[in-house]
Amino acid sequence: MSVVLVTGASRGIGAAIARAFACEGCDVAVNYHKNAEKANLLCEEFREKGVRAITVQADVSDSAQVNAMFETVRRELGDPDILVNNAGISLFGLLTDLSNDDWQRMLNTNLSSVFYCCRAALPAMIRAHKGVIVNIASMWGEVGASCEAAYSAAKAGVIGLTKALAKEVGPSGVRVNAVSPGVVMTDMMAGFSEQDIAALKEESPLMMTGTPADIADAVLYLASDKARFVTGQVLPVNGGMVI
Ligand code: NAP
């Protein structure tokens, strides 16, 4: 039975990923930052499926909190075999309006967090010669988005880290991949008007936005043995918006 840690799993894409693993019979650690209530409700739902599920509060942009989170997961569930680095924030605005703090907050939350979590997870995975890491990138990390330079830079960093780390730890039996979502309807899209969303759909060959479950299905595949020969890859799940 696998132990899975999903960061930023209290809502949105992370919650769907955690649910998908629980439905597969995995024990799940639901990391959250501020939404304890939602995380607790999810864990109650998962326990009803007969799996073990715990919530772990941590701001993943802080390495000490990440290390403490891993200690809790190890104590309660055991070493994670599967790590999904999903927690993230967005920030919309002109680069010339970004403060140093905005930039640092973005890089710390969306990129350094992935480094901190991989560093904490890997020793046990390498010892076991078994483990899977899936990072949630973004199509903007592939092609860049106007007015989202910091976000695009952080996600491009996630893609670079994914590829480099896959080379480093492949010989130790650990696979590292990324899923690169397109537009997915979550709280992160709350700032977009109906017209904005309609325009984004128009831009996409499939003429639709994605759901958190669409991303969870891709993560499940990459974490499964069906992807045993897949590492260092970035799987785009974007309705064809970036081809
Ligand atoms: P969301 O609905 O805004 O949810 C964000 C999640 O991240 C929440 O569970 C939140 O926890 C958690 N989080 C934020 N900052 C954190 C921190 N410092 N420490 C720990 N957890 C933190 O976002 P989403 O749309 O599901 O996005 C999930 C991932 O997909 C992100 O990496 C995002 O960049 C990526 N993505 C999303 C889209 C999209 O269109 N939605 C597209 C491409 C990529 P709390 O609720 O507890 O605060």
Side-chain angles (χ1 to χ4, degrees):
M1 197 60 62
S2 295
V3 174
V4 186
L5 167 59
V6 184
T7 69
S10 48
R11 54 199 166 93
I13 292 171
I17 294 169
R19 181 175 289 112
F21 280 109
C23 289
E24 289 293 304
C26 298
D27 294 332
V28 184
V30 171
N31 160 249
Y32 68 96
H33 186 207
K34 295 186 176 147
N35 267 302
E37 200 182 324
K38 284 190 176 166
N40 280 322
L41 279 174
L42 271 183
C43 283
E44 277 172 30
E45 174 196 325
F46 298 168
R47 284 185 210 113
E48 280 167 19
K49 300 181 196 300
V51 302
R52 294 185 299 161
I54 61 162
T55 60
V56 239
Q57 197 282 331
D59 175 350
V60 292
S61 69
D62 178 321
S63 68
Q65 292 190 38
V66 166
N67 291 341
M69 168 174 77
F70 271 83
E71 271 175 35
T72 304
V73 176
R74 272 187 198 115
R75 196 176 54 242
E76 305 272 328
L77 300 178
D79 287 314
D81 319 281
I82 299 170
L83 165 66
V84 183
N85 287 306
N86 163 82
I89 54 171
S90 61
L91 184 63
F92 200 81
L94 295 172
L95 181 127
T96 44
D97 290 339
L98 282 184
S99 68
N100 292 358
D101 282 352
D102 291 335
W103 174 261
Q104 282 309 331
R105 194 163 59 89
M106 175 55 70
L107 286 211
N108 289 343
T109 308
N110 286 15
L111 178 57
S112 301
S113 62
V114 180
F115 158 56
Y116 299 146
C117 289
C118 290
R119 184 175 60 180
L122 276 168
M125 290 181 175
I126 291 169
R127 255 195 320 276
H129 207 78
K130 178 169 118 13
V132 179
I133 296 173
V134 182
N135 298 324
I136 305 303
S138 163
M139 64 180 171
W140 301 136
E142 298 174 69
V143 296
S146 169
C147 295
E148 292 194 74
Y151 182 83
S152 301
K155 292 297 187 179
V158 169
I159 290 172
L161 191 156
T162 300
K163 293 179 180 182
L165 190 59
K167 290 182 178 176
E168 188 170 312
V169 298
S172 303
V174 180
R175 295 188 296 106
V176 188
N177 289 291
V179 171
S180 185
V183 179
V184 179
M185 296 315 294
T186 66
D187 296 344
M188 198 172 264
M189 296 301 296
F192 289 75
S193 68
E194 267 178 39
Q195 286 98 316
D196 294 335
I197 302 293
L200 287 165
K201 285 183 182 171
E202 279 291 314
E203 268 184 58
S204 144
L206 292 182
M207 306 197 76
M208 61 188 208
T209 56
T211 66
D214 291 322
I215 308 307
D217 284 341
V219 173
L220 216 55
Y221 160 68
L222 287 172
S224 76
D225 280 346
K226 291 193 171 151
R228 63 186 279 274
F229 197 43
V230 181
T231 198
Q233 303 305 310
V234 180
L235 176 55
V237 183
N238 61 29
M241 194 143 161
V242 168
I243 294 180

